[in-house]
Amino acid sequence: MSQSYILILIVIPFSFFQLTTGKECVCDLKNVDPLFPKDELRNVETTALKCIRSITLEKMTDLDRLVLGLQQRIKQLEDNVVKLEKENGNLYAAVSLRIIELEFAEIQNLLNKLNRTTNDYHHLNAQAATQLEDMKYTMVDLEKFDKMQVIKKNREKESKKLEQCKDELKASSPPPTVSPGRCGLGQMVSVAGPRTSSLTAYSTSYSYGAWGRDVKPARGDENKYWLVVLSNSNVYGHFVRQYGTLSTLLLGIGPKDTYISGSNPTTNTIQGSNMVVYANALYYNCYNTYSVCQFNMTTRAVSTVALPSDTGYNNKFPFAHLGTTYSYTDMDFTTDESGVYVIYATTSNFGNVIITKVETSNPPVLGQTWTTSLHKKTATNTFMVCGVLYATRYLDKETEQIFYSYDTETKKERYDLKINIKKMKTNIEYLNYDPRDRLLYIYSDAYILTYELVFQ
Ligand SMILES: *[C@@H]1O[C@H](CO)[C@@H](O)[C@H](O)[C@H]1NC(C)=O
Ligand SMILES: *[C@@H]1O[C@H](CO)[C@@H](O)[C@H](O)[C@H]1NC(C)=O
């Protein structure tokens, strides 16, 4: 509905009368049609604009997040109640009861929010429907003035464009599909969430850290969560904090700290945020070397294995985006259904990403290796699902995008993925996939979040 229509429309319906008086020729123009109702058109334009403003994507996402948050909370509550039942009477039960109370309050809070949001929607929907209906009638009226069929032709053009667009969409191939034989997952279509988001007990003190669950827990440890903050210079850490449940982690109740060393940093302490826990051992980049460290959280013993000597470390090949590098993220440990991998870059591969399987024996051993053409500094993080590596990049403060994939089975690379992650905070310092719950665990400027990977 641009102004140009008006311009075109008002020149349309005239009838011509030609009079001849002597040698002069005079033309008299008479408009036989009613005047063009440009006020009505303007009204429709204003209403349409208002309508668009009130139904924003933002609101839809809010609703999505509330529902997902609620799901997660209720599940957590169930788990906690089961736990409480088992603990009848002891001291810990009192703590659990308090957690459940808080959990209830949180759920009630979410329910209220949800109710408010859905009420808003009902209101919005009813109003929008009436407005749309009104606009439709006005537009039908206005179209009668379209004698030169400008709008009609435009519409035909638009629909042709739409068809073309659809065809183009079909032509650009969909994201990788993992064959059922490998993991039973379909094509990754989107990332929903955040499902949970919270500050840790450290509040905003540390912007670099990592968290998650043991990907291969011992029996009884299935619900435990671990958290590591890089407490020195946003680069170095020297202990792992563990919590019994997600609620205790969020509330900061009853942490158990396991120290790698009394000082930080020193030989074999943690460098960089992209670590993982697998079978009660922490895998990470050892301080000031190009080695992989395995910290046994039972025995507190550290075993190491060296990557190629031209592997980037000490901030040589970190993750980055224009203007920002994520300090000391030279090595990224990831987990998928088949175990642990380390993602790094070497000089001989021109700073491009290399994937190496880490066999989790004691000491750890380097397994199969794949070289890619993905320049490490163009990615902000990576994760693996079913043997496929995915890389993210920074789009803007609100959005991170999964743009790249490498399938270790077919060795096929793709740079045309466009799966967005809606962020709460600007930077993602840690990102890993947990094959147990198929969630992405993220540490983002002191916030800990989970997102759900949606497969078709
Ligand atoms: C939802 O909101 C409506 C209107 O404000 C209220 O009448 C209703 O009791 C609320 N429902 C819940 C479950 O809170
Ligand atoms: C850690 O130590 C325990 C106890 O000795 C042992 O059973 C386990 O296999 C070790 N884990 C790793 C990954 O070496």
Side-chain angles (χ1 to χ4, degrees):
M1 273 176 287
S2 71
Q3 296 292 355
S4 60
Y5 289 166
I6 306 174
L7 290 180
I8 296 161
L9 292 169
I10 40 183
V11 223
I12 309 162
F14 295 102
S15 42
F16 297 83
F17 297 93
Q18 203 169 24
L19 301 170
T20 316
T21 51
K23 282 177 186 154
E24 278 181 355
C25 187
V26 176
C27 272
D28 188 14
L29 286 176
K30 196 185 268 174
N31 187 356
V32 295
D33 276 347
L35 280 173
F36 181 76
K38 53 182 186 310
D39 286 346
E40 274 179 57
L41 182 64
R42 198 153 296 145
N43 279 347
V44 172
E45 271 187 289
T46 326
T47 322
L49 213 65
K50 268 196 215 141
C51 236
I52 291 166
R53 279 205 200 109
S54 56
I55 312 173
T56 57
L57 202 61
E58 189 68 32
K59 283 203 181 133
M60 296 308 291
T61 321
D62 271 356
L63 197 62
D64 195 34
R65 193 167 61 218
L66 280 174
V67 172
L68 285 170
L70 203 57
Q71 277 175 359
Q72 173 78 9
R73 290 288 179 162
I74 288 171
K75 199 186 157 296
Q76 190 65 43
L77 183 66
E78 274 172 21
D79 291 353
N80 285 344
V81 170
V82 168
K83 233 180 156 180
L84 180 70
E85 280 167 1
K86 283 194 199 132
E87 281 167 0
N88 53 75
N90 66 23
L91 193 79
Y92 198 74
V95 178
S96 301
L97 195 60
R98 177 72 191 124
I99 292 167
I100 288 168
E101 273 171 20
L102 290 168
E103 203 64 61
F104 256 131
E106 189 62 31
I107 287 174
Q108 191 56 53
N109 194 5
L110 281 171
L111 274 175
N112 288 344
K113 264 195 210 158
L114 196 63
N115 192 22
R116 272 203 301 280
T117 317
T118 45
N119 278 340
D120 278 358
Y121 275 113
H122 286 311
H123 180 64
L124 210 65
N125 281 347
Q127 201 186 338
T130 329
Q131 281 175 342
L132 278 176
E133 199 64 10
D134 283 352
M135 278 197 283
K136 202 175 86 191
Y137 286 127
T138 318
M139 289 313 287
V140 169
D141 271 353
L142 289 176
E143 213 177 308
K144 289 182 194 137
F145 287 87
D146 188 19
K147 296 257 164 89
M148 281 170 90
Q149 309 241 307
V150 179
I151 291 177
K152 202 173 160 206
K153 276 188 195 128
N154 263 3
R155 190 178 294 150
E156 277 161 16
K157 253 195 270 170
E158 288 300 327
S159 86
K160 256 183 227 147
K161 259 194 243 164
L162 204 67
E163 287 305 316
Q164 202 182 340
C165 206
K166 273 190 203 150
D167 288 345
E168 276 168 21
L169 216 63
K170 273 184 220 144
S172 96
S173 43
T177 308
V178 180
S179 66
R182 284 159 67 189
C183 274
L185 296 178
Q187 172 187 321
M188 190 198 294
V189 285
S190 64
V191 179
R195 267 185 78 153
T196 54
S197 63
S198 175
L199 275 169
T200 68
Y202 294 105
S203 187
T204 53
S205 308
Y206 306 115
S207 51
Y208 279 73
W211 78 297
R213 298 193 301 172
D214 188 335
V215 171
K216 199 187 173 202
R219 195 180 293 171
D221 285 349
E222 292 89 350
N223 280 322
K224 278 192 185 169
Y225 285 76
W226 60 270
L227 169 71
V228 170
V229 289
L230 300 184
S231 52
N232 184 344
S233 317
N234 286 332
V235 177
Y236 312 110
H238 66 314
F239 67 94
V240 185
R241 180 159 277 196
Q242 283 175 283
Y243 293 91
T245 62
L246 181 61
S247 307
T248 47
L249 165 62
L250 298 181
L251 295 167
I253 296 173
K256 175 177 169 271
D257 291 341
T258 311
Y259 280 82
I260 300 168
S261 161
S263 57
N264 181 29
T266 186
T267 313
N268 290 344
T269 54
I270 304 161
Q271 176 162 304
S273 52
N274 287 303
M275 62 203 89
V276 295
V277 171
Y278 187 89
N280 207 38
L282 182 77
Y283 291 84
Y284 59 95
N285 181 186
C286 328
Y287 168 64
N288 197 29
T289 72
Y290 48 87
S291 292
V292 170
C293 264
Q294 176 198 59
F295 173 59
N296 189 324
M297 296 203 286
T298 310
T299 61
R300 293 184 51 214
V302 178
S303 309
T304 66
V305 58
L307 288 170
S309 59
D310 66 341
T311 296
Y313 70 103
N314 285 356
N315 223 21
K316 183 169 183 174
F317 297 130
F319 288 127
H321 69 84
L322 224 59
T324 306
T325 60
Y326 294 92
S327 65
Y328 288 72
T329 50
D330 299 85
M331 274 178 219
D332 180 11
F333 291 83
T334 64
T335 52
D336 77 352
E337 287 73 2
S338 66
V340 179
Y341 297 82
V342 57
I343 315 301
Y344 58 101
T346 60
T347 311
S348 52
N349 195 36
F350 316 106
N352 296 336
V353 161
I354 295 177
I355 309 166
T356 294
K357 184 91 189 352
V358 178
E359 303 304 341
T360 53
S361 52
N362 184 16
V365 180
L366 301 182
Q368 202 176 342
T369 287
W370 299 266
T371 50
T372 76
S373 73
L374 172 68
H375 195 60
K376 185 141 182 297
K377 286 184 176 175
T378 61
T380 50
N381 222 303
T382 66
F383 63 93
M384 286 189 81
V385 181
C386 284
V388 179
L389 177 85
Y390 295 91
T392 57
R393 68 176 164 203
Y394 179 99
L395 280 195
D396 57 43
K397 277 186 174 178
E398 282 84 37
T399 318
E400 209 80 359
Q401 184 177 66
I402 301 169
F403 75 103
Y404 170 89
S405 69
Y406 181 94
D407 189 332
T408 57
E409 188 106 324
T410 61
K411 300 186 171 61
K412 273 208 185 99
E413 284 187 292
R414 300 217 1 213
Y415 281 88
D416 58 351
L417 271 54
K418 288 190 175 70
I419 302 171
N420 288 353
I421 303 174
K422 193 174 154 48
K423 289 185 285 191
M424 264 189 71
K425 292 277 154 187
T426 309
N427 299 303
I428 293 179
E429 287 85 10
Y430 172 78
L431 169 66
N432 192 47
Y433 165 75
D434 182 348
R436 287 170 59 204
D437 50 20
R438 290 182 184 161
L439 296 181
L440 286 178
Y441 283 74
I442 286 181
Y443 191 103
S444 176
D445 297 339
Y447 279 78
I448 55 172
L449 307 118
T450 59
Y451 287 77
E452 192 176 3
L453 286 180
V454 183
F455 298 93
Q456 210 169 45

